[in-house]
């Protein structure tokens, strides 16, 4: 009846099944990386990296964009001969929005000893199912997106996208400048990250930036009509309104704000980008912190955006940038160790991570012993026609 | 008033068959409900169909009105074979029936139920308004003749069983049918109600309406019908002049053996 | 006041969507689970045309596209899948079961097409030749699109109720719902009327899809699913086949949801439609205005 509900129930079920299935079949996943050889002989001619990301289904957009970025990175690495004559060979496996498919692709790739590393799924539920497989089979997996907690807790797992909650505090600078003292939110209560933004992150940012979070109106990812929630959130006319929901809902919520005649600041998060573009002029002034935007003025972003536009038309997306950074991280790890075995890549990823590097997402630092990316982020604003960078 | 109830006269010989059902068989899985029955319903008469419970009377009516498929046999209406014609078209050709159990539409008033019958869509060629006027007159006339005037705004559940049956009959005759099939129209009625209905049917016959009447009431059948069929176990066991047919041993046995109805 | 305006707008959308579903459920015995995806795909067609024409379609054209696409899809679904199922099914129960499965299967096709086309991103009518604007109205805000929704809702709601109550074809359609054999004996062509009813149902779904897409800003491939569930609750609440019941159910649910959002944490909203569904099924299975199972004896 309700496919979303059914699907999430299925996802939970599948996650559990995958986890228990793994526990029972022990470490037979084949952790040996024989074909990648040892480090004595230097780098092999080709280094195989498998990408396991949604190309169809609910997260098709995120997954295909990431894959675009990965291909751009591979081209740049290979044509610039970054790995001393050794070529990266990348291929993609579609998880089609399905946890079990993701798990089975990763299991297969892990069993294939010619595969040096895996670029893991974008959805947290898939990543959570894949993470223990990576640990058991001792193959490095680098995720983009997949913001849930617990994914990089397991050794052999790495994440190239700074979690939203880590750079979201950047919005405090903007709100302080606007002189906002009261902020209300409308948020999707069943999306843990967004719930955390509303309940924990914004209030604690407010302590430093001089605003208080008042009314927080909970909605669900099935909510369609936002007139009511928005109405409630603006009832006491706050200085700023936070809109924290996913997909079409962010458009609906914004539409409801526009129809309500609310005049204060509207802040959101990176998912707002397509929504404001759709709405156009009426959405002018919506502001959010982000880890990437194609208009950010750094050499890395400029070069990447150019390559992206050349290859695919349009401007580069954050998902593509993250994909690009994830493969660059792997390449830097191989370069660092001079070796492309799984062990070496893992060590390399940690070393590069601990040192940090500058990617398309700006200066990346890493926590969790070099496993988990962090960035300061930027604050960007929709001016009615395009996104402009406010805080760099 | 009469011109509404009598279908436009067709230039056909007096002996023309309105309905010709030939070797009709209807089976439900292993049950041979009707098994090779032939009926020739001639114009302007009341035909009777008599038989004990479960002998296949209602089933053959269902077959004739194309509500159940035939296993074999053929059907012809006014000279037109109609083995593949859907029920609604048959209704438009002029075949009407009532059911053994009252099947009025509970959501609608008596008047709306009857109006439904008046809407068979056969008044093509006339302007919409003329058709509407004609329909209204026709409905009023039928309501009058069936004595339903005071019940028009009632819904079926508010009516006594006898009155409900009358509404069913009214709904069928308002269609100005050429052939009227009646499945136990007086079952459960009081004696006087029965007589009224019998008089109504005779009256309709006088106006030329051909009828096939299924009934358990032997006396009424003998009094009302011009020709009688008797069946048992899906087969005909007799046919002819009603008074003679009911006296044949086969019919006597079938009826007496299988419970002559106390109310008959 | 603002709550009232919002509730009425939401109720109109629910009503337009649920009425068509109730209509064919009550009359043709078609519980059409593809109704939600017809709703979604009609809006998507508008979106697609908007893109092809460089965002130049006026609102009226978008609504028209919604109606036409919705009606067409609904009729096609009926003629190609649902009606053959009804015709072939052995009895009423197996017909209902197969219709359900058929509908769910059908529903998947447009959803998959849109998922592929949009990569599961939301789609919306880019503000082209119309702008959503809002006005002060008795101390609250009402937007131009809300006004359109009200007008369309009132007109169509009344039209459908009157059609079923007063017109010959409406009467005929209702009779099919009660007793299809008697209906056919009254000369009623169920095939043609069925197509007409499906067209009306689909057209209304398409219209609500287009209206919702404008009013809510965007839809996704899965948007129809949520609405389908709510319509289900509304119809059960009002009584299957009762148009007035469906209208009452739609406004009742919209009102309840709006009140709930205003006064509690919004996470309870979906629980309301589920809760109502259970409550009604337990206490008054035939719904507020539904008839008891009179049907055939
Ligand atoms: N739809 C059906 N499926 C299976 N069997 C049926 C069906 N309809 C009728 N029958 C069977 O066919 C036989 C004839 O039934 P029918 O109703 O025609 O009898 P009848 O002569 O009308 O009896 P009554 O006087 O009781 O009305 C019976 O044995 C009945 O059980
Ligand atoms: Mg019978």
């Amino acid at each position: 009846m309700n496919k979303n509900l059914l699907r999430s129930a299925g996802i939970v079920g599948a996650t559990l099944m995958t986890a228990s299935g793994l526990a029972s079949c022990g470490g037979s996943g084949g952790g040996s990386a024989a074909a990648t050889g040892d480090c004595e002989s230097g780098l092999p001619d080709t280094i195989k990296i498998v990408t396991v990301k949604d190309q169809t289904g609910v997260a098709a957009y995120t997954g295909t964009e990431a894959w675009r970025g990965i291909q751009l990175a591979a081209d740049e690495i290979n044509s610039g001969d970054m790995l001393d004559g050794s070529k990266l060979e990348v291929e993609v496996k579609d998880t089609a929005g399905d946890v079990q498919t993701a798990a089975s692709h990763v299991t297969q790739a892990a069993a294939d000893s010619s595969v040096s590393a895996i670029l893991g799924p974008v959805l947290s539920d898939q990543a959570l199912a894949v993470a223990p497989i990576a640990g058991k089979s001792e193959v490095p997996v680098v995720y983009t997106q997949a913001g849930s907690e617990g994914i990089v807790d397991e050794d052999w797992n790495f994440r190239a996208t700074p979690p939203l909650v880590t750079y979201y505090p950047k919005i405090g600078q903007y709100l302080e400048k606007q002189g906002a003292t009261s902020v209300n939110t409308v948020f999707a209560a069943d999306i843990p990250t967004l719930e955390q933004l509303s309940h924990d992150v914004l209030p604690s940012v407010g302590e430093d930036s001089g605003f208080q979070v008042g009314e927080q109106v909970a909605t669900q990812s099935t909510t369609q009509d936002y007139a009511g929630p928005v109405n409630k959130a603006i009832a006491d006319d706050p200085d700023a309104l936070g809109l924290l929901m996913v997909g079409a809902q962010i458009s609906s919520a914004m539409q409801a704000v526009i129809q309500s005649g609310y005049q204060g600041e509207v802040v959101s998060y990176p998912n707002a980008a397509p929504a404001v573009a759709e709405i156009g002029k009426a959405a002018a002034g919506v502001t959010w912190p982000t880890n990437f935007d194609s208009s950010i003025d750094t050499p890395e972003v400029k070069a990447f955006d150019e390559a992206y536009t050349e290859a695919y038309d349009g401007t580069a997306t954050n998902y593509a940038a993250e994909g690009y950074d994830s493969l660059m991280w792997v390449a830097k790890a191989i370069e660092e160790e001079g070796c492309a075995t799984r062990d070496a890549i893992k060590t390399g990823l940690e070393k590069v991570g601990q040192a940090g590097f500058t990617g398309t997402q700006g200066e990346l630092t890493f926590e969790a012993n070099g496993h988990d990316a962090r960035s300061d982020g930027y604050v960007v604003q929709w001016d009615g026609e395009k996104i402009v960078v406010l805080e760099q | 008033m009469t011109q509404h109830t009598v279908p436009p006269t067709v230039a056909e010989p007096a002996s023309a068959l309105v309905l010709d059902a030939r070797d009709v068989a209807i089976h439900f899985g292993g049950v041979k409900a009707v098994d090779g029955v032939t009926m020739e319903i001639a114009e302007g008469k009341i035909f009777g169909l008599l038989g004990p419970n479960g002998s296949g009377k209602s089933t053959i009516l269902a077959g004739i009105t194309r509500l159940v498929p035939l296993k074999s046999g053929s059907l012809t209406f006014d000279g037109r074979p109609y083995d593949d014609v859907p029920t609604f078209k048959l209704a438009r050709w002029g075949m009407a029936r009532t059911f053994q159990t009252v099947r009025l539409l509970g959501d609608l008033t008596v008047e709306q139920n009857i109006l439904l019958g008046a809407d068979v869509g056969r008044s093509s060629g006339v302007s919409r308004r003329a058709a509407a006027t004609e329909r209204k007159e026709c409905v009023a006339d039928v309501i009058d003749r069936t004595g339903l005037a005071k019940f028009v705004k009632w819904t079926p559940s508010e009516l006594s069983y006898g009155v409900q049956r009358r509404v069913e009959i009214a709904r069928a005759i308002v269609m100005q049918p050429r052939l009227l099939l009646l499945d136990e129209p007086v079952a459960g009625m009081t004696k006087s109600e029965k007589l009224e209905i019998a008089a109504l049917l005779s009256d309709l016959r006088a106006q030329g309406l051909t009828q096939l009447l299924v009934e358990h009431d032997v006396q009424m059948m003998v009094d009302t019908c011009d020709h009688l069929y008797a069946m048992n176990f899906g087969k005909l066991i007799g046919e002819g002049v009603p008074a003679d047919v009911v006296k044949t041993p086969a019919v006597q046995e079938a009826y007496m053996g299988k419970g002559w109805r106390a109310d008959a | 006041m603002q709550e009232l305006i919002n509730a009425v707008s939401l109720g109109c959308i629910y009503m337009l969507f649920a009425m068509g579903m109730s209509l064919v459920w009550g009359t043709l015995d078609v519980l059409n689970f593809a109704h939600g995806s017809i709703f979604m795909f009609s809006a998507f067609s508008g979106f697609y045309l908007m893109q092809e024409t460089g965002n130049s379609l006026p609102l009226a054209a978008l609504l028209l596209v919604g109606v036409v696409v919705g009606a067409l899809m609904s009729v096609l679904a009926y003629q190609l899948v649902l009606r053959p199922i009804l015709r072939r099914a052995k009895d009423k129960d197996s017909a209902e079961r197969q219709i359900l499965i058929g509908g769910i299967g059908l529903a998947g096709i447009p959803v998959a097409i849109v998922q592929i086309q949009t990569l599961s991103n939301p789609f919306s009518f880019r503000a082209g030749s119309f702008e959503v604007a809002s006005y002060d109205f008795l101390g609250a805000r009402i937007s131009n699109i809300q006004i359109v929704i009200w007008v369309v809702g009132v007109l169509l709601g009344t039209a459908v109720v009157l059609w079923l109550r007063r017109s010959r074809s409406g009467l005929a359609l209702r009779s099919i719902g009660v007793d299809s054999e008697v209906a056919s004996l009254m000369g009623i062509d169920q095939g043609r009327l069925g197509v007409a009813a499906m067209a009306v149902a689909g057209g209304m779904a398409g219209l609500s899809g287009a209206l919702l897409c404008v009013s809510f800003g965007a839809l996704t491939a899965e948007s129809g699913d949520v609405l389908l569930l709510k319509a289900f609750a509304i119809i059960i609440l009002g009584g299957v086949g009762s148009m007035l019941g469906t209208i009452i159910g739609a406004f009742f649910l919209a009102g309840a949801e709006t009140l709930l959002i205003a006064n509690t944490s919004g996470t309870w909203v979906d629980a309301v439609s589920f809760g109502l569904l259970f409550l009604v099924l337990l206490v008054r299975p035939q719904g507020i205005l539904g008839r008891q199972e009179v049907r055939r004896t």
Side-chain angles (χ1 to χ4, degrees), chain B residues 65 67 87-89 91-92 95-97 99 101-108 112-113 115-121 123 128 131 135 168 171-172 175, chain C residues 164-192 241 291-292 294-297:
Chain B
T65 46
L67 292 175
T87 303
F88 81 90
K89 272 210 182 122
R92 291 179 184 185
M95 191 183 292
R97 77 169 279 192
F99 288 88
T101 49
V102 174
R103 284 169 73 168
L104 294 170
L105 305 180
D107 295 5
L108 309 184
Q112 284 175 318
N113 263 289
L115 258 171
L116 213 52
D119 274 348
V120 281
S123 32
R128 269 174 158 253
R135 216 170 33 243
E168 274 222 317
R171 187 177 64 183
M175 293 169 70
Chain C
L164 286 178
R165 287 247 162 126
R166 298 281 162 79
S167 79
R168 291 166 65 193
S169 58
L171 221 57
L173 194 57
R174 281 165 71 194
S175 73
I176 295 177
V178 188
D179 190 330
S180 68
E181 283 187 0
V182 167
S184 61
L185 277 160
M186 297 293 118
I188 292 165
D189 183 351
Q190 306 194 23
R192 262 181 51 191
R291 53 174 177 259
Q292 307 268 358
V294 270
R295 307 240 158 175
R296 298 160 206 160
T297 24

Side-chain angles (χ1 to χ4, degrees), chain A residues 141-195:
Chain A
V141 178
V142 184
Y143 307 92
T144 56
Q145 291 290 310
S148 283
E149 282 176 31
I151 292 169
V152 293
D153 289 358
E154 192 99 29
D155 216 4
W156 294 92
N157 290 282
F158 299 82
R159 178 162 54 201
T161 302
L164 178 60
V165 292
T166 64
Y167 61 82
Y168 202 81
K170 189 96 176 171
I171 197 72
Q173 290 179 23
Y174 172 75
L175 288 173
E176 196 171 359
K177 255 188 210 159
Q178 302 302 313
T181 60
S182 56
V183 178
N184 289 352
T185 65
V186 180
F187 69 102
D190 52 356
I191 311 247
T193 313
L194 299 180
E195 201 246 14

Side-chain angles (χ1 to χ4, degrees), chain A residues 105-379:
Chain A
H105 281 318
V106 167
T107 307
Q108 277 173 31
D112 178 353
S113 57
S114 70
V115 174
S116 296
I118 296 169
L119 302 180
V122 292
L123 292 181
S124 288
D125 52 2
Q126 293 177 22
L128 281 167
V130 160
I133 306 178
K136 284 254 154 55
S137 341
E138 304 192 338
V139 59
V141 178
V142 184
Y143 307 92
T144 56
Q145 291 290 310
S148 283
E149 282 176 31
I151 292 169
V152 293
D153 289 358
E154 192 99 29
D155 216 4
W156 294 92
N157 290 282
F158 299 82
R159 178 162 54 201
T161 302
L164 178 60
V165 292
T166 64
Y167 61 82
Y168 202 81
K170 189 96 176 171
I171 197 72
Q173 290 179 23
Y174 172 75
L175 288 173
E176 196 171 359
K177 255 188 210 159
Q178 302 302 313
T181 60
S182 56
V183 178
N184 289 352
T185 65
V186 180
F187 69 102
D190 52 356
I191 311 247
T193 313
L194 299 180
E195 201 246 14
Q196 202 184 342
L197 279 189
S198 181
H199 278 163
D200 308 331
V201 179
L202 266 178
S204 83
V205 172
E207 281 173 20
D208 295 336
S209 308
F211 63 82
Q212 272 202 321
V213 180
E215 185 77 66
Q216 302 182 49
V217 183
T219 60
Q220 288 166 297
S221 26
T222 49
T223 303
Q224 291 185 321
D225 180 32
Y226 275 88
V230 163
N231 204 35
K232 187 180 181 188
I234 61 171
D236 60 355
D237 202 19
D239 296 331
L241 177 64
L243 298 182
L244 306 166
M245 58 286 297
V246 292
Q249 298 177 307
I250 205 152
S251 300
S252 302
M254 243 169 247
Q255 201 77 46
V257 171
I258 293 164
Q259 295 188 33
S260 75
Y262 172 72
Q263 294 299 329
E265 292 292 328
V266 176
V267 297
S268 191
Y269 76 110
N271 266 22
V276 291
E278 292 286 319
I279 297 173
K281 275 221 155 38
V286 176
T287 309
W288 66 91
T290 186
N291 58 332
F292 174 85
D293 188 82
S294 62
S295 61
I296 287 163
D297 192 15
T298 66
E300 288 81 10
V301 173
K302 279 227 156 79
F304 176 63
D305 190 41
E306 251 166 51
Y308 184 98
T309 310
E310 169 102 0
Y312 308 112
D313 286 339
T315 55
T317 62
N318 62 316
Y319 306 120
E322 293 157 9
Y324 177 93
D325 284 354
S326 70
L327 187 60
M328 276 300 172
W329 187 7
V330 173
K332 283 179 199 293
I334 296 169
E335 205 181 13
E336 171 82 22
E337 293 297 290
C339 177
T341 63
R342 294 174 176 183
D343 280 319
I345 291 178
K346 174 178 182 272
T347 315
L349 284 168
E350 284 168 352
K351 282 188 188 163
V352 173
Q354 279 156 5
F357 69 93
T358 305
T360 55
Q361 303 175 79
E363 277 173 32
L364 292 171
T365 57
F366 291 80
E367 290 194 356
N369 192 29
H371 280 246
D372 200 11
R374 294 286 182 276
S375 82
D376 271 357
Y378 310 88
V379 175

Side-chain angles (χ1 to χ4, degrees), chain C:
Chain C
M1 186 63 205
Q2 188 66 57
E3 270 91 22
L4 190 66
I5 291 178
N6 294 339
V8 171
S9 312
L10 187 63
C12 282
I13 298 270
Y14 284 173
M15 178 191 82
L16 286 174
F17 182 84
M19 260 183 136
M21 202 169 140
S22 175
L23 177 73
V24 295
W25 191 3
T27 56
L28 310 179
D29 277 338
V30 170
L31 171 51
N32 187 5
F33 265 72
H35 201 67
S37 68
I38 289 174
F39 151 91
M40 182 279 302
F41 199 83
S42 307
F44 178 76
S45 306
F47 159 77
Y48 185 79
L49 277 180
M50 272 294 241
Q51 283 196 321
E52 295 293 300
T53 57
N55 299 323
S56 65
L57 289 184
L59 183 61
L62 277 176
L63 299 185
L64 189 71
V65 169
V67 171
V68 171
V69 172
L72 266 178
M73 286 178 73
S74 181
V75 168
L76 279 180
Y78 182 60
Q79 290 291 59
L80 299 182
V81 181
L82 303 175
R83 191 147 166 233
I85 288 178
L86 280 175
R87 211 180 287 144
R88 256 180 247 141
K90 281 194 301 288
D91 51 64
K92 212 167 162 282
D93 281 347
S94 68
E96 270 170 11
R97 206 168 39 242
Q98 289 171 26
I99 284 282
L100 243 144
I101 296 167
I104 292 173
L106 274 176
I109 301 170
V111 172
I113 292 174
V114 175
Q115 276 177 343
I116 291 165
Q117 287 289 319
T118 61
L119 295 172
S120 291
N121 273 334
F123 58 86
S124 66
F125 306 143
R126 262 168 195 275
S129 34
F130 62 91
E131 286 280 345
V132 176
S134 60
Y135 320 99
D136 278 314
F137 176 71
L138 301 177
R141 304 287 294 183
I142 184 164
S143 70
N144 50 359
I145 183 72
Q146 278 178 321
I147 296 172
V148 173
I149 289 172
W150 287 25
V151 171
V152 170
V154 169
L155 285 183
L156 270 183
T158 324
V160 170
V161 169
L162 284 183
W163 175 46
L164 286 178
R165 287 247 162 126
R166 298 281 162 79
S167 79
R168 291 166 65 193
S169 58
L171 221 57
L173 194 57
R174 281 165 71 194
S175 73
I176 295 177
V178 188
D179 190 330
S180 68
E181 283 187 0
V182 167
S184 61
L185 277 160
M186 297 293 118
I188 292 165
D189 183 351
Q190 306 194 23
R192 262 181 51 191
L193 264 181
V195 167
M198 287 302 284
V200 168
M204 287 174 81
L207 186 65
S208 57
L211 282 172
L212 204 75
C213 195
V214 180
S215 166
F216 287 5
L219 294 178
T220 62
E222 293 87 11
S223 288
D225 299 345
V226 182
L227 211 55
L228 194 72
L229 178 75
K230 298 201 166 160
F232 202 68
I234 287 167
I235 295 170
I236 297 290
L237 181 66
V240 177
S242 163
M243 285 303 122
L244 210 59
T246 304
I247 295 174
I248 293 174
F251 286 100
F252 183 86
L253 184 68
E257 286 187 358
T258 309
L259 273 181
L260 218 68
I261 287 169
N263 298 308
T264 68
S265 145
T267 35
W268 285 97
V269 169
D270 274 358
V272 171
S273 30
F274 278 117
L276 273 179
L277 200 72
F278 286 129
L279 198 71
V280 172
L281 286 176
L282 280 177
V283 178
R284 198 177 154 81
Q286 74 272 29
I288 300 172
L289 291 181
R291 53 174 177 259
Q292 307 268 358
E293 280 284 310
V294 270
R295 307 240 158 175
R296 298 160 206 160
T297 24

